[in-house]
């Protein structure tokens, strides 16, 4: 295949939105929070067991986050884990109609 076989498209900045997920913003926020948790653990050179010892949060939760298995975590839970790691979390929310559907309604993806 050559480069001519592909069409370039500018992404939205949210890969989950680009793939059509209705909950794209939630998925993106959870991914950002999980990445911040991993960055904190890596900066401290902590294993999941060390993180459990220092925070009281089960090491299995840290292991799931390391494997990017964050589906079962709420944004609040991920923020609480960051807080237990000594990090402040600040959310900013904007609400506006979706550009793809003028009425704001559309199909939901799992």
């Amino acid at each position: 295949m050559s480069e001519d076989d592909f069409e370039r498209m500018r992404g939205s900045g949210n890969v989950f939105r680009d793939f059509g997920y209705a909950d794209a913003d939630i998925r993106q926020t959870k991914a950002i929070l999980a990445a911040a948790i991993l960055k904190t653990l890596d900066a401290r050179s902590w294993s999941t067991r060390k993180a459990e010892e220092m925070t009281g949060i089960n090491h299995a939760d840290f292991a799931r986050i390391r494997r990017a298995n964050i589906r079962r975590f709420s944004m609040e839970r991920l923020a609480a884990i960051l807080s237990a790691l000594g990090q402040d979390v600040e959310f900013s929310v904007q609400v506006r109609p979706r550009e793809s559907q003028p009425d704001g309604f559309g199909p939901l993806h799992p």
Side-chain angles (χ1 to χ4, degrees), residues 38 41 48 58-69 73:
L38 295 177
L41 295 181
T48 59
N58 192 313
H59 90 95
D61 284 346
F62 289 109
R64 285 184 190 96
I65 293 166
R66 279 228 183 263
R67 291 190 311 269
N69 184 6
F73 291 96

Side-chain angles (χ1 to χ4, degrees), residues 21-97:
Y21 290 100
D23 62 346
D25 295 322
I26 293 169
R27 288 177 184 241
Q28 172 106 351
T29 302
K30 287 169 58 172
I32 290 167
L33 293 169
I37 291 168
L38 295 177
K39 182 178 178 181
T40 303
L41 295 181
D42 290 347
R44 296 175 184 175
S45 300
W46 283 4
S47 66
T48 59
R49 295 283 182 189
K50 179 68 173 179
E52 176 183 42
E53 177 187 327
M54 300 303 290
T55 65
I57 295 169
N58 192 313
H59 90 95
D61 284 346
F62 289 109
R64 285 184 190 96
I65 293 166
R66 279 228 183 263
R67 291 190 311 269
N69 184 6
I70 59 173
R71 227 180 152 154
R72 66 177 285 233
F73 291 96
S74 66
M75 290 187 306
E76 294 83 2
R77 176 70 176 145
L78 293 168
I81 292 170
L82 278 165
S83 181
L85 291 168
Q87 305 297 304
D88 288 329
V89 178
E90 184 177 312
F91 289 97
S92 176
V93 177
Q94 279 187 333
V95 178
R96 63 186 185 293

